[in-house]
Amino acid sequence: MAQILDGKAHADRMLEEIRQAVATRNATGARVPCLAVILVGENPASQVYVRNKVAACAKTGIRSLEFLLPETTTSDKLIDTIIELNTNPEVDGILVQLPLPKGMDAKVMLQRIDPAKDVDGLHPMNQGLLLQGQRGLRPCTPSAVMNMLKAYGVPMKGKRAVVLGRSEIVGKPMALMLMEEHATVTIAHSRTVDLPSVCREADILVAAIGQPGFVEGSWIKPGAIVVDVGINRVEDLQLGERIFTHDPKKLEALRTRGSVLCGDVRYGEAFEIAGSVTPVPGGVGPLTIAGLLTNTLQACQNRG
Ligand code: NDP
């Protein structure tokens, strides 16, 4: 039976630390940290993410500003909004919620954010600093995963780590951060040959591919640490039956509600074989928000 790496509990501890740091700043009369969140369009999942981020700000005492722009917003208008926030001295962090509507190039938009306010850590300047092992604002999800692994005392030095997925937001920065802790890292992706064998080498396996229940128990080395970043909505009952062998309640919810959330890993199978595993939900998701607020506080402290 695996140990459950409780991302929710760890995220709550991170948020409490942030709340205390903000309160200490307030007590000295320093400026309240402020996060500006921009949402373009009406993607329901993005609306939920933005609401959760704003609610977490409120919990910690960080001020938040919401910019809800219509789907018809032009790239020029979005750039104008970003530039205004770059120059607004009250604003410490700017987050453009992804994905952007079709026709907007996210990379081009993100490059317009002042790197000092780039709390998602996706500006080329911050990604370059990460590559060089220098201090900068780092992508929230992998940063918070590292924070949790360290808090749980997971040894990384000399361990074999496999990161499934090579996105700029999760896979690549995750691999760099694990390497920084002296793990020997393999990045796998959609062209990797014989993924099961590659995964079986991992002492630490991070799945970030966005494929429900893709990683099977037989791919996991006994005792491995499994971090499941994926957040997927499963609607297919047959697939659900394969994923939720351990969890009849989820299967029932899938039957009655028509869809449920799951990760990239078959949690029940992983639970039987891994040393530790993160659940979905309640694993990496809450950590991402905690990572975002950590970055906002850091950006505020850096700006003085
Ligand atoms: P992307 O779609 O940007 O990247 C997916 C990566 O997975 C790509 O590198 C792709 O390979 C690889 N991949 C896709 N299918 C396969 C496959 N069948 N076999 C091997 N590799 C595959 O996704 P993100 O990195 O943005 O997100 C990944 C998952 O994590 C999603 O479920 C997302 O919702 C979730 N997520 C969760 C967060 C959280 O807070 N918990 C935060 C961010 C993301 P290739 O490059 O070859 O195409």
Side-chain angles (χ1 to χ4, degrees), residues 6-303:
D6 188 340
K8 168 82 176 66
H10 187 69
D12 286 345
R13 282 192 287 275
M14 287 175 74
L15 292 180
E16 177 52 23
E17 279 171 23
I18 295 166
R19 194 192 63 72
Q20 285 175 18
V22 172
T24 306
R25 273 185 70 86
N26 289 351
T28 61
R31 200 166 45 78
V32 177
C34 175
L35 173 67
V37 183
I38 305 173
L39 173 63
V40 187
E42 282 161 17
N43 178 325
S46 295
Q47 287 173 329
V48 173
Y49 291 140
V50 166
R51 266 205 302 279
N52 291 345
K53 286 167 187 174
V54 168
C57 282
K59 257 193 202 167
T60 54
I62 289 179
R63 202 176 138 212
S64 63
L65 303 173
E66 271 181 275
F67 295 82
L68 306 176
L69 308 179
E71 188 89 22
T72 51
T73 302
T74 60
S75 297
D76 284 346
K77 168 70 186 148
L78 177 56
I79 289 171
D80 286 347
T81 307
I82 292 171
I83 291 172
E84 241 174 70
L85 293 170
N86 283 344
T87 52
N88 183 339
E90 294 289 310
V91 172
D92 298 294
I94 303 170
L95 178 134
V96 176
Q97 183 64 46
L98 301 178
L100 288 170
K102 280 199 183 77
M104 269 192 190
D105 186 333
K107 278 194 177 147
V108 172
M109 299 300 130
L110 296 175
Q111 282 183 22
R112 304 308 288 261
I113 297 176
D114 177 349
K117 297 188 178 187
D118 167 41
V119 281
D120 244 350
L122 295 176
H123 188 284
M125 164 80 94
N126 282 316
Q127 299 227 317
L129 289 170
L130 169 61
L131 187 71
Q132 292 188 349
Q134 294 194 55
R135 211 162 164 266
L137 293 168
R138 294 182 165 196
C140 311
T141 305
S143 295
V145 166
M146 293 304 287
N147 187 312
M148 181 182 71
L149 292 179
K150 285 178 192 170
Y152 272 100
V154 171
M156 291 180 252
K157 190 172 169 182
K159 298 294 178 188
R160 296 294 299 262
V162 172
V163 179
L164 276 178
R166 55 176 164 179
S167 71
E168 259 107 59
I169 194 162
V170 188
K172 284 181 195 166
M174 187 80 244
L176 288 169
M177 290 180 203
L178 286 162
M179 193 162 56
E180 204 170 51
E181 293 301 322
H182 311 294
T184 301
V185 183
T186 301
I187 304 185
H189 45 77
S190 65
R191 318 297 157 88
T192 300
V193 175
D194 195 3
L195 266 176
S197 301
V198 174
C199 291
R200 271 192 289 271
E201 288 180 3
D203 300 306
I204 301 168
L205 177 63
V206 181
I209 55 176
Q211 304 283 341
F214 189 76
V215 176
E216 300 175 21
S218 63
W219 301 18
I220 296 169
K221 181 175 175 176
I225 311 296
V226 178
V227 176
D228 191 352
V229 180
I231 302 179
N232 312 292
R233 194 158 277 288
V234 198
E235 292 171 348
D236 178 337
L237 191 58
Q238 271 184 337
L239 178 61
E241 278 169 354
R242 288 202 298 279
I243 298 174
F244 302 124
T245 44
H246 68 294
D247 194 344
K249 274 194 195 150
K250 266 213 164 170
L251 201 52
E252 189 49 34
L254 175 56
R255 282 202 187 95
T256 53
R257 276 188 247 145
S259 76
V260 285
L261 286 184
C262 76
D264 290 342
V265 177
R266 294 193 189 175
Y267 180 78
E269 294 175 17
F271 187 68
E272 295 298 324
I273 189 159
S276 306
V277 62
T278 61
V280 178
V284 176
L287 289 173
T288 297
I289 293 185
L292 171 69
L293 300 197
T294 303
N295 277 354
T296 304
L297 177 62
Q298 188 192 323
C300 177
Q301 287 165 340
N302 292 346
R303 294 177 64 245

